[in-house]
Amino acid sequence: MSSLKLENSELHAHLYYCKYSSEDTAGARVADLYGICCQAQKSIRWAERPGNMLKHLQRREADRIKAGHPSRF
């Protein structure tokens, strides 16, 4: 999930990661923790290289449209 906002000709992006539980009831599972930690690391890398993130999102969107899927924007 993300939030985009244009302020004074600057684009601000807020990224959110929603993790589902691997079981029916929530609990303390190592596998779920690893998933969240891995996603946090990926988010840090994207934050360090916002230009690369935008290119990646543009490529994914183009691939989606080419495959006949609706836009995510």
Side-chain angles (χ1 to χ4, degrees), residues 58-72:
Q58 288 173 328
R59 190 193 83 243
R60 285 184 60 180
E61 179 68 5
D63 290 347
R64 251 184 103 64
I65 300 300
K66 187 176 179 181
H69 299 292
S71 173
R72 291 190 180 222

Side-chain angles (χ1 to χ4, degrees), residues 24-60:
D24 290 339
T25 56
R29 281 178 286 284
V30 174
D32 290 345
L33 177 62
Y34 282 142
I36 291 169
C37 290
C38 290
Q39 188 61 41
Q41 180 61 37
K42 287 180 184 179
S43 297
I44 290 167
R45 292 187 70 207
W46 286 127
E48 292 172 343
R49 299 174 189 91
N52 289 351
M53 180 182 69
L54 291 174
K55 288 178 190 174
H56 177 74
L57 292 174
Q58 288 173 328
R59 190 193 83 243
R60 285 184 60 180

